[in-house]
Amino acid sequence: MDLSEIVAGYDDELRTSDYADVDASSNGLQVGPDEREVETVAFAVDAAEQTVEAAADRGADLLVTHHGLSWGGIERVTGSQYGRIAPLIENDVALYVSHLPLDGHQELGNAAGIADLLGLESRDPFGELGPEHVGQRGTAPDPVPTDRLRETLESELDHFGQGVRVLDFGPEKIEDVAIVTGSGVDWLDEAVESGADALVTGEGKQKAYHEAREAGITVFLGGHYATETFGVRSLQSVAEEWGLETTYIDAPTGL
């Protein structure tokens, strides 16, 4: 399959261009020629030396990640930036990136993956960012005790042994859940305004403790990496449907 077809397919499905004005990430093809034949695609959360080298070792023609190398432009290719880009070029591995478009996709996205994990129903887009959304909100079929929801997340997320932290200030049983993965605690106010019992996200900030306590909402902190493996896994499934060979590179950070 030609690289241009893969890029066009992902860009169309993820509505990449719609996020151009709200995302610092340069989404889409970040490294590579306009056209080349692709047989094997590697998938990872982060574009880093570790994942780039693993993709090359596995014979991948293309690496697809959630976090890329260009956040609004690259001024110099030196130091760590050189260390990440050089192996891509030397091994002829292209790099495709989808940041917020993959967060916001209501079927393939990171939040959608966690909603699937929790079995949420009656889902709606959540996490407004300009005209777009970067998360999802849904309802549990039956109210779930906080400890059971934490256990579900802890048993399924790739948190590198760090566990799931909980700011337990909401009701004893949780029904309405808002999800923004990664660094999504900034949408805590929106979760409160929406009437959610809990916000599931990756990492927290100091101020979130008091904000959650004062608002009476529970916050689950599952880890930035751990909550953002779902989107690239979904893109891997899409690539397999296209008839491509795929491989997943797991490089958890515990953060």
Side-chain angles (χ1 to χ4, degrees), residues 55-171:
D57 289 343
R58 299 183 191 186
D61 306 300
L62 170 65
L63 173 62
V64 175
T65 69
H66 179 51
H67 301 129
L69 301 178
S70 177
W71 300 88
I74 297 175
E75 293 185 1
R76 301 176 188 274
V77 182
T78 60
S80 62
Q81 194 75 303
Y82 178 83
R84 293 171 177 175
I85 293 176
L88 288 168
I89 297 174
E90 290 169 357
N91 293 283
D92 201 18
V93 180
L95 174 66
Y96 180 93
V97 174
S98 185
H99 184 231
L100 296 186
L102 190 53
D103 284 325
H105 197 286
Q106 296 299 295
E107 294 179 1
L108 303 176
N110 290 310
I114 290 183
D116 289 341
L117 175 65
L118 299 178
L120 301 184
E121 301 175 346
S122 304
R123 303 185 200 178
D124 293 302
F126 175 81
E128 290 186 3
L129 187 63
E132 302 299 334
H133 292 83
V134 292
Q136 194 170 93
R137 184 175 179 272
T139 304
D142 297 297
V144 183
T146 301
D147 285 347
R148 189 185 306 166
L149 197 152
R150 181 194 62 77
E151 288 169 2
T152 298
L153 292 171
E154 192 157 291
S155 65
E156 298 295 332
L157 295 182
D158 193 0
H159 50 72
F160 207 40
Q162 299 302 305
V164 175
R165 299 186 65 185
V166 181
L167 306 180
D168 189 3
F169 299 120

Side-chain angles (χ1 to χ4, degrees), residues 192-254:
V192 173
E193 292 169 5
S194 74
D197 302 316
L199 171 68
V200 176
T201 188
E203 60 190 57
K205 296 181 179 179
Q206 168 70 14
K207 65 177 184 177
Y209 176 92
H210 294 289
E211 291 175 348
R213 184 174 184 275
E214 291 160 6
I217 187 172
T218 294
V219 179
F220 295 87
L221 305 172
H224 196 129
Y225 178 93
T227 58
E228 298 202 321
T229 62
F230 297 90
V232 287
R233 286 285 200 181
S234 293
L235 294 185
Q236 181 179 10
S237 296
V238 171
E240 290 171 352
E241 291 173 2
W242 291 339
L244 295 162
E245 294 292 328
T246 71
T247 182
Y248 180 75
I249 300 166
D250 191 21
T253 64

Side-chain angles (χ1 to χ4, degrees), residues 27-44:
N27 296 307
L29 185 65
Q30 285 194 357
V31 178
D34 291 332
E35 295 185 2
R36 65 160 296 182
E37 192 65 24
V38 173
E39 295 182 358
T40 302
V41 187
F43 294 82

